[in-house]
Amino acid sequence: MSPPTGVFRTHTLHGVEFFTDPKVQACLVFKELVEQWRAERRATSSITAMAMCDAYQKIIGMGPDAIPLIIGQLRSEADEPDQWFWALQVLTGVNPVADEDRGDFVKMAQSWINWAENKENAW
Amino acid sequence: MPGSWKSDEFPRLATGNHVITSPATRRYNCIAWVAGEVTRKWWPDPRNIGWWPAGVKRAETIEAFVEAYGTLGFRLCYDGSLQPGVEKVAIFGIRPSENELPIPTHAALQLESGEWSSKLGDFEDISHSPVDAVAGPLYGTVICFLERQRTSDTPRVLRARASTTF
């Protein structure tokens, strides 16, 4: 059976086919890439090296669909935000972080979350 | 307790040559740690994500890192030997190829005991000896040492951390 347009086949179990919609599929792909990225970057201290990892570049390659997923990830990371700022800059073309907050990932994450809350109607 | 890193990242780290001195955190990195900062990351990335001292070139070069620590009073020195009253920093780097200059990867700070303190990426802080216990495929080797006079307020954070084992 062919899946309806815009719906992805995820797997078949005991002859039953399972499907998901594009948003769920993007979320699953994103979560997997996050895990791959963390394994790939290992103990590097370099912000640049972290951003050059294959998995991170694939997240950027997801395009604008990745923006709400990254913002959601930042929210979930609370006071231990990860380095999502490079991807957000590339994907949005803006940088809402004040110069004096550079390097402080907690403040940077809050700046991006605030930025997203002002944009959420667009998503 | 084992650290968060994989053994192939630091093949020279072994039982007996290091102690974990903090939980893992993403709040700061090794470059900030050596500068005594635990709430922001130092890195001269091209997108201005990491903090970097004003007036120092944002470049991933050993020269820029030496200059950055120079803003804190560190100057190049001959080696990493323990000298009373002197605080030393080791900057690590990797050469992409034989003919290229090394790219900075890591920094470690010498404690008053002679041990070295390193923050391992987003993983734990450790105290280790010798300095090149963290050398290997990820951080390369020590490229240069810096020094400055050790003052009473310099290692506030480090004194607290060095006495705590996680």
Side-chain angles (χ1 to χ4, degrees), chain A residues 32-80:
Chain A
E32 190 170 325
L33 288 171
V34 171
E35 293 307 310
Q36 285 178 21
W37 175 46
R38 290 188 174 146
E40 192 181 342
R41 73 193 198 197
R42 307 195 294 172
T44 184
S45 295
S46 166
I47 288 170
T48 308
M50 284 185 187
M52 291 302 114
C53 289
D54 282 353
Y56 196 86
Q57 290 295 309
K58 284 178 182 167
I59 289 171
I60 292 173
M62 291 173 71
D65 287 350
I67 298 171
L69 297 172
I70 293 172
I71 295 295
Q73 182 71 24
L74 270 180
R75 285 193 177 109
S76 75
E77 289 167 354
D79 61 351
E80 281 283 326

Side-chain angles (χ1 to χ4, degrees), chain A residues 22-35:
Chain A
K23 282 189 177 177
V24 174
Q25 180 70 8
C27 186
L28 294 173
V29 169
F30 176 76
K31 291 289 182 193
E32 190 170 325
L33 288 171
V34 171
E35 293 307 310

Side-chain angles (χ1 to χ4, degrees), chain B residues 10-64:
Chain B
F10 303 107
R12 296 184 188 190
L13 280 184
T15 304
N17 73 358
H18 73 281
V19 175
I20 295 175
T21 54
S22 85
T25 178
R26 300 186 194 116
R27 296 290 296 275
Y28 58 96
N29 61 4
C30 60
I31 309 303
W33 174 239
V34 165
E37 295 212 26
V38 293
T39 58
R40 60 183 177 186
K41 290 189 176 185
W42 285 37
W43 200 264
D45 60 280
R47 288 198 166 268
N48 291 322
I49 291 165
W51 190 84
W52 201 239
V56 178
K57 189 176 179 186
R58 280 190 85 91
E60 295 179 39
T61 63
I62 296 295
E63 186 183 10

Side-chain angles (χ1 to χ4, degrees), chain A residues 95 97-105 108, chain B residues 40-41 47-52 58:
Chain A
N95 183 7
V97 176
D99 285 352
E100 63 268 24
D101 291 340
R102 284 178 191 167
D104 186 331
F105 280 20
M108 295 171 79
Chain B
R40 60 183 177 186
K41 290 189 176 185
R47 288 198 166 268
N48 291 322
I49 291 165
W51 190 84
W52 201 239
R58 280 190 85 91

